Amino acid sequence: MEKIEEYFANLSIAKRSAVTKEPTYLLDIDTSKNVPEENGCIVAVSCSNGSVRLYNRETLSLLRELNGQPGLLKGVKFAHSCSHVFSACTDGTVKCWDMRLSGKTPVQVFKGYPSNVFISFDINCNDHIICAGTEKVGDDTLMVFWDARVSSQTTCPVKDPLGVYSETHSDDITQVCFHPDNPNMLVSGSTDGLVNVFDISIDNEEDALIATCNSGSSVSYVGWSGKEYKQIYCMTHDEGFCWWDLANLETDQPVTCLNIQDVREVINVQNGNLDYLVGGLYHEKTDQLLVVGGTNTGTIHLLNCGSSGLTYMRSLEGGHSATVRSFCWSVQDDSLLTGGEDAQLLLWKPGATERTLAKKDNMKIASSVQKRVRVHSNDSYKSKKKHSC
């Protein structure tokens, strides 16, 4: 099997997006999937000013900007089988645009309930179901579901929810993430410290809950990993990392693979320090989980995840000048897109050479999207009727 280090050893900057009129944090990145576009592969970026920017992936030239959002955007996702791009917003909606149309008006609006403030969302692998997680309002913390299919015959662009989950989290639902291959499997993370796994094909929430894992702190990121994606992992707002193997739920083997309360205290990086974690990616070709972190001055650190812990692999330097907030890996050409608080979108490719461009100064934007940190119980396990890990 190839080593994961070989795929990242020669990454360097190939392209850098041009300066825009309104500098903004780049909070989330996704790329179009399996659909030929007139402008090639498209990159969608959600920005702290409430807009979604669309770029040509190879040139990083700005194609369009979808703006006018009344609230903060909380993620951007392309459909898997068509030219639709989705974004969730704190105004309690998920909006869908058709990239084949030149207009800036959504072709569909998925509306939540009146008090909903969405802070996370995802669409499943067959593009049939959308799920969005809410902030806690009063006693309500919801995972809201819609039928994601957009009918060309629809006379009303607003679609109401199919239903909600309301009993399995007690605080803000910061992350929801569908399984890459199974459209019914869903993992969620919350500031209550819990990471829950559901089979949404089962009729009611209690029976749909397969496993509950306790991270011990406020969850900032969740994902799937491992062969057949039978593992889940999470990161926390105080830079913790947990990794669980769901294949062991029915065995005597431990479900917890790793539980690191603060990665900053256990990892040694070259020429600097680790200030924060951004997220993770499962590299299928090498069957390895990679953790992405960085420094407040823009250096990106890549960490390899194994049964013995996290190990430093390499750093990407000379690109960003401030905190990196988002990334997207391409399995097609082994390239990496990164976005940060310096308003830059960068494309890293193996062996690339960038035409000289001055690295932009750190942006001193007053941010309204700072992460909230909530410290919770350090109990590694939480007793539930269902499987707990």
Side-chain angles (χ1 to χ4, degrees):
M1 181 178 290
E2 297 170 284
K3 293 183 178 180
I4 193 170
E5 291 83 358
E6 297 172 1
Y7 286 89
F8 294 88
N10 297 316
L11 277 185
S12 55
I13 300 171
K15 293 289 181 181
R16 189 186 301 258
S17 63
V19 178
T20 56
K21 292 181 180 180
E22 183 181 0
T24 178
Y25 291 4
L26 307 186
L27 303 178
D28 195 20
I29 302 172
D30 198 18
T31 57
S32 55
K33 305 172 180 69
N34 303 321
V35 180
E37 302 286 353
E38 181 180 348
N39 294 297
C41 183
I42 294 178
V43 179
V45 180
S46 68
C47 304
S48 60
N49 66 355
S51 70
V52 174
R53 292 177 181 168
L54 304 175
Y55 295 86
N56 178 290
R57 189 183 180 281
E58 290 305 310
T59 65
L60 295 191
S61 57
L62 182 63
L63 303 175
R64 296 166 60 187
E65 186 165 2
L66 308 171
N67 48 30
Q69 307 298 315
L72 295 174
L73 290 183
K74 294 296 179 177
V76 62
K77 300 285 182 183
F78 275 98
H80 300 81
S81 58
C82 63
S83 300
H84 290 159
V85 64
F86 300 82
S87 71
C89 187
T90 56
D91 70 347
T93 64
V94 177
K95 296 179 177 68
C96 171
W97 289 270
D98 190 334
M99 295 299 94
R100 298 168 298 181
L101 304 179
S102 58
K104 296 183 178 181
T105 303
V107 295
Q108 188 81 67
V109 175
F110 302 89
K111 189 175 181 180
Y113 298 101
S115 63
N116 289 167
V117 177
F118 294 138
I119 55 174
S120 58
F121 94 107
D122 199 11
I123 182 168
N124 70 348
C125 62
N126 64 10
D127 296 331
H128 287 182
I129 299 293
I130 293 171
C131 177
T134 71
E135 281 188 351
K136 184 176 182 179
V137 177
D139 293 328
D140 294 330
T141 304
L142 305 178
M143 295 168 62
V144 184
F145 296 87
W146 297 266
D147 183 339
R149 290 167 288 189
V150 178
S151 172
S152 59
Q153 307 299 319
T154 183
T155 57
C156 177
V158 177
K159 187 174 284 192
D160 292 325
L162 294 171
V164 302
Y165 287 171
S166 61
E167 303 296 331
T168 41
H169 284 296
S170 60
D171 214 330
D172 300 353
I173 299 173
T174 53
Q175 289 277 293
V176 292
C177 181
F178 279 102
H179 191 280
D181 300 323
N182 185 334
N184 295 318
M185 297 298 292
L186 174 68
V187 62
S188 62
S190 168
T191 54
D192 63 10
L194 301 184
V195 175
N196 289 329
V197 183
F198 301 92
D199 181 348
I200 65 169
S201 67
I202 300 173
D203 284 343
N204 65 78
E205 179 179 359
E206 182 181 2
D207 292 336
L209 180 62
I210 295 174
T212 292
C213 302
N214 192 352
S215 71
S217 188
S218 173
V219 176
S220 62
Y221 190 96
V222 298
W224 299 84
S225 66
K227 291 182 179 179
E228 300 181 9
Y229 291 97
K230 291 184 177 180
Q231 299 170 344
I232 58 172
Y233 63 94
C234 84
M235 291 154 205
T236 66
H237 285 111
D238 46 8
E239 317 313 334
F241 176 80
C242 298
W243 185 26
W244 299 281
D245 191 343
L246 301 179
N248 291 338
L249 286 174
E250 304 293 344
T251 72
D252 294 331
Q253 298 299 312
V255 174
T256 300
C257 303
L258 283 178
N259 188 335
I260 303 172
Q261 291 302 307
D262 191 338
V263 174
R264 296 168 297 184
E265 296 179 354
V266 300
I267 200 75
N268 293 315
V269 300
Q270 292 181 2
N271 303 322
N273 58 302
L274 177 73
D275 293 325
Y276 56 85
L277 300 177
V278 186
L281 67 92
Y282 174 65
H283 196 269
E284 289 187 346
K285 295 176 183 177
T286 60
D287 186 28
Q288 289 287 311
L289 175 59
L290 191 74
V291 173
V292 180
T295 71
N296 296 326
T297 54
T299 298
I300 299 169
H301 296 312
L302 305 178
L303 313 176
N304 195 0
C305 179
S307 57
S308 59
L310 296 176
T311 55
Y312 170 78
M313 193 167 70
R314 69 157 298 190
S315 299
L316 303 178
E317 299 178 283
H320 292 282
S321 59
T323 299
V324 174
R325 297 290 290 266
S326 53
F327 67 91
C328 186
W329 172 255
S330 170
V331 297
Q332 281 74 31
D333 62 355
D334 300 321
S335 63
L336 182 70
L337 286 160
T338 58
E341 294 185 3
D342 55 4
Q344 293 191 94
L345 178 65
L346 300 183
L347 175 63
W348 307 75
K349 285 189 170 184
T353 302
E354 181 191 17
R355 292 182 180 179
T356 304
L357 266 175
K359 190 166 122 177
K360 290 163 65 176
D361 292 335
N362 188 2
M363 290 172 53
K364 300 298 183 181
I365 303 175
S367 174
S368 60
V369 289
Q370 294 298 319
K371 294 178 179 178
R372 289 168 295 175
V373 177
R374 303 186 186 185
V375 179
H376 297 272
S377 166
N378 288 326
D379 294 339
S380 297
Y381 301 91
K382 184 174 180 67
S383 176
K384 296 284 288 186
K385 181 178 178 181
K386 300 294 177 180
H387 291 289
S388 298
C389 44

mmCIF file with all atom_site columns, all heavy atoms in Angstrom, residues 198-213:
data_model
loop_
_atom_site.group_PDB
_atom_site.id
_atom_site.type_symbol
_atom_site.label_atom_id
_atom_site.label_alt_id
_atom_site.label_comp_id
_atom_site.label_asym_id
_atom_site.label_entity_id
_atom_site.label_seq_id
_atom_site.pdbx_PDB_ins_code
_atom_site.Cartn_x
_atom_site.Cartn_y
_atom_site.Cartn_z
_atom_site.occupancy
_atom_site.B_iso_or_equiv
_atom_site.pdbx_formal_charge
_atom_site.auth_seq_id
_atom_site.auth_comp_id
_atom_site.auth_asym_id
_atom_site.auth_atom_id
_atom_site.pdbx_PDB_model_num
ATOM 1   N N   . PHE A 1 198 ? -26.926 7.725  13.528 1.00 0.00 ? 198 PHE A N   1
ATOM 2   C CA  . PHE A 1 198 ? -28.314 7.366  13.250 1.00 0.00 ? 198 PHE A CA  1
ATOM 3   C C   . PHE A 1 198 ? -28.431 6.563  11.957 1.00 0.00 ? 198 PHE A C   1
ATOM 4   O O   . PHE A 1 198 ? -27.644 6.746  11.024 1.00 0.00 ? 198 PHE A O   1
ATOM 5   C CB  . PHE A 1 198 ? -29.183 8.626  13.072 1.00 0.00 ? 198 PHE A CB  1
ATOM 6   C CG  . PHE A 1 198 ? -29.214 9.548  14.254 1.00 0.00 ? 198 PHE A CG  1
ATOM 7   C CD1 . PHE A 1 198 ? -28.303 10.592 14.356 1.00 0.00 ? 198 PHE A CD1 1
ATOM 8   C CD2 . PHE A 1 198 ? -30.162 9.402  15.252 1.00 0.00 ? 198 PHE A CD2 1
ATOM 9   C CE1 . PHE A 1 198 ? -28.333 11.465 15.431 1.00 0.00 ? 198 PHE A CE1 1
ATOM 10  C CE2 . PHE A 1 198 ? -30.208 10.269 16.332 1.00 0.00 ? 198 PHE A CE2 1
ATOM 11  C CZ  . PHE A 1 198 ? -29.285 11.300 16.425 1.00 0.00 ? 198 PHE A CZ  1
ATOM 12  N N   . ASP A 1 199 ? -29.452 5.713  11.929 1.00 0.00 ? 199 ASP A N   1
ATOM 13  C CA  . ASP A 1 199 ? -29.931 5.102  10.684 1.00 0.00 ? 199 ASP A CA  1
ATOM 14  C C   . ASP A 1 199 ? -31.302 5.710  10.410 1.00 0.00 ? 199 ASP A C   1
ATOM 15  O O   . ASP A 1 199 ? -32.301 5.327  11.017 1.00 0.00 ? 199 ASP A O   1
ATOM 16  C CB  . ASP A 1 199 ? -30.036 3.585  10.829 1.00 0.00 ? 199 ASP A CB  1
ATOM 17  C CG  . ASP A 1 199 ? -30.514 2.899  9.553  1.00 0.00 ? 199 ASP A CG  1
ATOM 18  O OD1 . ASP A 1 199 ? -30.989 3.597  8.632  1.00 0.00 ? 199 ASP A OD1 1
ATOM 19  O OD2 . ASP A 1 199 ? -30.426 1.660  9.481  1.00 0.00 ? 199 ASP A OD2 1
ATOM 20  N N   . ILE A 1 200 ? -31.362 6.701  9.508  1.00 0.00 ? 200 ILE A N   1
ATOM 21  C CA  . ILE A 1 200 ? -32.604 7.460  9.320  1.00 0.00 ? 200 ILE A CA  1
ATOM 22  C C   . ILE A 1 200 ? -33.673 6.682  8.560  1.00 0.00 ? 200 ILE A C   1
ATOM 23  O O   . ILE A 1 200 ? -34.788 7.178  8.400  1.00 0.00 ? 200 ILE A O   1
ATOM 24  C CB  . ILE A 1 200 ? -32.336 8.811  8.628  1.00 0.00 ? 200 ILE A CB  1
ATOM 25  C CG1 . ILE A 1 200 ? -31.818 8.595  7.197  1.00 0.00 ? 200 ILE A CG1 1
ATOM 26  C CG2 . ILE A 1 200 ? -31.353 9.656  9.438  1.00 0.00 ? 200 ILE A CG2 1
ATOM 27  C CD1 . ILE A 1 200 ? -31.784 9.879  6.375  1.00 0.00 ? 200 ILE A CD1 1
ATOM 28  N N   . SER A 1 201 ? -33.335 5.458  8.097  1.00 0.00 ? 201 SER A N   1
ATOM 29  C CA  . SER A 1 201 ? -34.364 4.635  7.460  1.00 0.00 ? 201 SER A CA  1
ATOM 30  C C   . SER A 1 201 ? -35.319 4.044  8.488  1.00 0.00 ? 201 SER A C   1
ATOM 31  O O   . SER A 1 201 ? -36.399 3.555  8.136  1.00 0.00 ? 201 SER A O   1
ATOM 32  C CB  . SER A 1 201 ? -33.719 3.503  6.653  1.00 0.00 ? 201 SER A CB  1
ATOM 33  O OG  . SER A 1 201 ? -33.059 2.570  7.515  1.00 0.00 ? 201 SER A OG  1
ATOM 34  N N   . ILE A 1 202 ? -34.940 4.082  9.762  1.00 0.00 ? 202 ILE A N   1
ATOM 35  C CA  . ILE A 1 202 ? -35.792 3.590  10.851 1.00 0.00 ? 202 ILE A CA  1
ATOM 36  C C   . ILE A 1 202 ? -36.754 4.692  11.275 1.00 0.00 ? 202 ILE A C   1
ATOM 37  O O   . ILE A 1 202 ? -36.376 5.856  11.393 1.00 0.00 ? 202 ILE A O   1
ATOM 38  C CB  . ILE A 1 202 ? -34.929 3.121  12.028 1.00 0.00 ? 202 ILE A CB  1
ATOM 39  C CG1 . ILE A 1 202 ? -34.016 1.980  11.559 1.00 0.00 ? 202 ILE A CG1 1
ATOM 40  C CG2 . ILE A 1 202 ? -35.784 2.667  13.198 1.00 0.00 ? 202 ILE A CG2 1
ATOM 41  C CD1 . ILE A 1 202 ? -32.993 1.547  12.590 1.00 0.00 ? 202 ILE A CD1 1
ATOM 42  N N   . ASP A 1 203 ? -38.001 4.332  11.513 1.00 0.00 ? 203 ASP A N   1
ATOM 43  C CA  . ASP A 1 203 ? -39.089 5.306  11.596 1.00 0.00 ? 203 ASP A CA  1
ATOM 44  C C   . ASP A 1 203 ? -38.947 6.344  12.696 1.00 0.00 ? 203 ASP A C   1
ATOM 45  O O   . ASP A 1 203 ? -39.182 7.520  12.467 1.00 0.00 ? 203 ASP A O   1
ATOM 46  C CB  . ASP A 1 203 ? -40.428 4.586  11.765 1.00 0.00 ? 203 ASP A CB  1
ATOM 47  C CG  . ASP A 1 203 ? -40.909 3.967  10.460 1.00 0.00 ? 203 ASP A CG  1
ATOM 48  O OD1 . ASP A 1 203 ? -40.390 4.379  9.415  1.00 0.00 ? 203 ASP A OD1 1
ATOM 49  O OD2 . ASP A 1 203 ? -41.771 3.082  10.503 1.00 0.00 ? 203 ASP A OD2 1
ATOM 50  N N   . ASN A 1 204 ? -38.580 5.949  13.911 1.00 0.00 ? 204 ASN A N   1
ATOM 51  C CA  . ASN A 1 204 ? -38.586 6.923  14.999 1.00 0.00 ? 204 ASN A CA  1
ATOM 52  C C   . ASN A 1 204 ? -37.176 7.177  15.519 1.00 0.00 ? 204 ASN A C   1
ATOM 53  O O   . ASN A 1 204 ? -36.272 6.356  15.374 1.00 0.00 ? 204 ASN A O   1
ATOM 54  C CB  . ASN A 1 204 ? -39.507 6.469  16.140 1.00 0.00 ? 204 ASN A CB  1
ATOM 55  C CG  . ASN A 1 204 ? -39.021 5.206  16.804 1.00 0.00 ? 204 ASN A CG  1
ATOM 56  O OD1 . ASN A 1 204 ? -38.104 5.227  17.613 1.00 0.00 ? 204 ASN A OD1 1
ATOM 57  N ND2 . ASN A 1 204 ? -39.640 4.070  16.457 1.00 0.00 ? 204 ASN A ND2 1
ATOM 58  N N   . GLU A 1 205 ? -36.999 8.340  16.139 1.00 0.00 ? 205 GLU A N   1
ATOM 59  C CA  . GLU A 1 205 ? -35.676 8.797  16.555 1.00 0.00 ? 205 GLU A CA  1
ATOM 60  C C   . GLU A 1 205 ? -35.014 7.852  17.544 1.00 0.00 ? 205 GLU A C   1
ATOM 61  O O   . GLU A 1 205 ? -33.813 7.567  17.441 1.00 0.00 ? 205 GLU A O   1
ATOM 62  C CB  . GLU A 1 205 ? -35.802 10.198 17.158 1.00 0.00 ? 205 GLU A CB  1
ATOM 63  C CG  . GLU A 1 205 ? -34.505 10.787 17.642 1.00 0.00 ? 205 GLU A CG  1
ATOM 64  C CD  . GLU A 1 205 ? -34.676 12.192 18.211 1.00 0.00 ? 205 GLU A CD  1
ATOM 65  O OE1 . GLU A 1 205 ? -35.814 12.715 18.205 1.00 0.00 ? 205 GLU A OE1 1
ATOM 66  O OE2 . GLU A 1 205 ? -33.671 12.761 18.679 1.00 0.00 ? 205 GLU A OE2 1
ATOM 67  N N   . GLU A 1 206 ? -35.759 7.358  18.516 1.00 0.00 ? 206 GLU A N   1
ATOM 68  C CA  . GLU A 1 206 ? -35.174 6.490  19.539 1.00 0.00 ? 206 GLU A CA  1
ATOM 69  C C   . GLU A 1 206 ? -34.591 5.230  18.924 1.00 0.00 ? 206 GLU A C   1
ATOM 70  O O   . GLU A 1 206 ? -33.472 4.813  19.264 1.00 0.00 ? 206 GLU A O   1
ATOM 71  C CB  . GLU A 1 206 ? -36.224 6.126  20.583 1.00 0.00 ? 206 GLU A CB  1
ATOM 72  C CG  . GLU A 1 206 ? -35.679 5.256  21.699 1.00 0.00 ? 206 GLU A CG  1
ATOM 73  C CD  . GLU A 1 206 ? -36.741 4.883  22.725 1.00 0.00 ? 206 GLU A CD  1
ATOM 74  O OE1 . GLU A 1 206 ? -37.921 5.268  22.546 1.00 0.00 ? 206 GLU A OE1 1
ATOM 75  O OE2 . GLU A 1 206 ? -36.386 4.208  23.705 1.00 0.00 ? 206 GLU A OE2 1
ATOM 76  N N   . ASP A 1 207 ? -35.329 4.603  17.997 1.00 0.00 ? 207 ASP A N   1
ATOM 77  C CA  . ASP A 1 207 ? -34.841 3.381  17.365 1.00 0.00 ? 207 ASP A CA  1
ATOM 78  C C   . ASP A 1 207 ? -33.762 3.665  16.317 1.00 0.00 ? 207 ASP A C   1
ATOM 79  O O   . ASP A 1 207 ? -32.916 2.813  16.040 1.00 0.00 ? 207 ASP A O   1
ATOM 80  C CB  . ASP A 1 207 ? -36.000 2.625  16.718 1.00 0.00 ? 207 ASP A CB  1
ATOM 81  C CG  . ASP A 1 207 ? -36.974 2.069  17.746 1.00 0.00 ? 207 ASP A CG  1
ATOM 82  O OD1 . ASP A 1 207 ? -36.551 1.858  18.897 1.00 0.00 ? 207 ASP A OD1 1
ATOM 83  O OD2 . ASP A 1 207 ? -38.161 1.882  17.400 1.00 0.00 ? 207 ASP A OD2 1
ATOM 84  N N   . ALA A 1 208 ? -33.812 4.873  15.725 1.00 0.00 ? 208 ALA A N   1
ATOM 85  C CA  . ALA A 1 208 ? -32.827 5.232  14.699 1.00 0.00 ? 208 ALA A CA  1
ATOM 86  C C   . ALA A 1 208 ? -31.446 5.486  15.294 1.00 0.00 ? 208 ALA A C   1
ATOM 87  O O   . ALA A 1 208 ? -30.434 5.377  14.592 1.00 0.00 ? 208 ALA A O   1
ATOM 88  C CB  . ALA A 1 208 ? -33.297 6.468  13.939 1.00 0.00 ? 208 ALA A CB  1
ATOM 89  N N   . LEU A 1 209 ? -31.377 5.819  16.583 1.00 0.00 ? 209 LEU A N   1
ATOM 90  C CA  . LEU A 1 209 ? -30.105 6.093  17.237 1.00 0.00 ? 209 LEU A CA  1
ATOM 91  C C   . LEU A 1 209 ? -29.336 4.785  17.445 1.00 0.00 ? 209 LEU A C   1
ATOM 92  O O   . LEU A 1 209 ? -29.734 3.930  18.235 1.00 0.00 ? 209 LEU A O   1
ATOM 93  C CB  . LEU A 1 209 ? -30.335 6.790  18.579 1.00 0.00 ? 209 LEU A CB  1
ATOM 94  C CG  . LEU A 1 209 ? -29.094 7.136  19.396 1.00 0.00 ? 209 LEU A CG  1
ATOM 95  C CD1 . LEU A 1 209 ? -28.198 8.108  18.660 1.00 0.00 ? 209 LEU A CD1 1
ATOM 96  C CD2 . LEU A 1 209 ? -29.497 7.684  20.769 1.00 0.00 ? 209 LEU A CD2 1
ATOM 97  N N   . ILE A 1 210 ? -28.226 4.634  16.754 1.00 0.00 ? 210 ILE A N   1
ATOM 98  C CA  . ILE A 1 210 ? -27.427 3.413  16.801 1.00 0.00 ? 210 ILE A CA  1
ATOM 99  C C   . ILE A 1 210 ? -26.364 3.475  17.882 1.00 0.00 ? 210 ILE A C   1
ATOM 100 O O   . ILE A 1 210 ? -26.102 2.490  18.580 1.00 0.00 ? 210 ILE A O   1
ATOM 101 C CB  . ILE A 1 210 ? -26.762 3.168  15.427 1.00 0.00 ? 210 ILE A CB  1
ATOM 102 C CG1 . ILE A 1 210 ? -27.828 2.889  14.364 1.00 0.00 ? 210 ILE A CG1 1
ATOM 103 C CG2 . ILE A 1 210 ? -25.759 2.033  15.495 1.00 0.00 ? 210 ILE A CG2 1
ATOM 104 C CD1 . ILE A 1 210 ? -27.259 2.786  12.975 1.00 0.00 ? 210 ILE A CD1 1
ATOM 105 N N   . ALA A 1 211 ? -25.714 4.614  18.002 1.00 0.00 ? 211 ALA A N   1
ATOM 106 C CA  . ALA A 1 211 ? -24.612 4.741  18.962 1.00 0.00 ? 211 ALA A CA  1
ATOM 107 C C   . ALA A 1 211 ? -24.494 6.181  19.428 1.00 0.00 ? 211 ALA A C   1
ATOM 108 O O   . ALA A 1 211 ? -24.799 7.118  18.687 1.00 0.00 ? 211 ALA A O   1
ATOM 109 C CB  . ALA A 1 211 ? -23.304 4.287  18.335 1.00 0.00 ? 211 ALA A CB  1
ATOM 110 N N   . THR A 1 212 ? -24.051 6.338  20.675 1.00 0.00 ? 212 THR A N   1
ATOM 111 C CA  . THR A 1 212 ? -23.746 7.649  21.237 1.00 0.00 ? 212 THR A CA  1
ATOM 112 C C   . THR A 1 212 ? -22.337 7.602  21.814 1.00 0.00 ? 212 THR A C   1
ATOM 113 O O   . THR A 1 212 ? -22.039 6.763  22.667 1.00 0.00 ? 212 THR A O   1
ATOM 114 C CB  . THR A 1 212 ? -24.751 8.031  22.336 1.00 0.00 ? 212 THR A CB  1
ATOM 115 O OG1 . THR A 1 212 ? -26.032 8.254  21.744 1.00 0.00 ? 212 THR A OG1 1
ATOM 116 C CG2 . THR A 1 212 ? -24.313 9.306  23.049 1.00 0.00 ? 212 THR A CG2 1
ATOM 117 N N   . CYS A 1 213 ? -21.479 8.491  21.334 1.00 0.00 ? 213 CYS A N   1
ATOM 118 C CA  . CYS A 1 213 ? -20.107 8.591  21.814 1.00 0.00 ? 213 CYS A CA  1
ATOM 119 C C   . CYS A 1 213 ? -19.924 9.943  22.488 1.00 0.00 ? 213 CYS A C   1
ATOM 120 O O   . CYS A 1 213 ? -20.457 10.949 22.018 1.00 0.00 ? 213 CYS A O   1
ATOM 121 C CB  . CYS A 1 213 ? -19.117 8.442  20.656 1.00 0.00 ? 213 CYS A CB  1
ATOM 122 S SG  . CYS A 1 213 ? -19.296 6.888  19.740 1.00 0.00 ? 213 CYS A SG  1
#
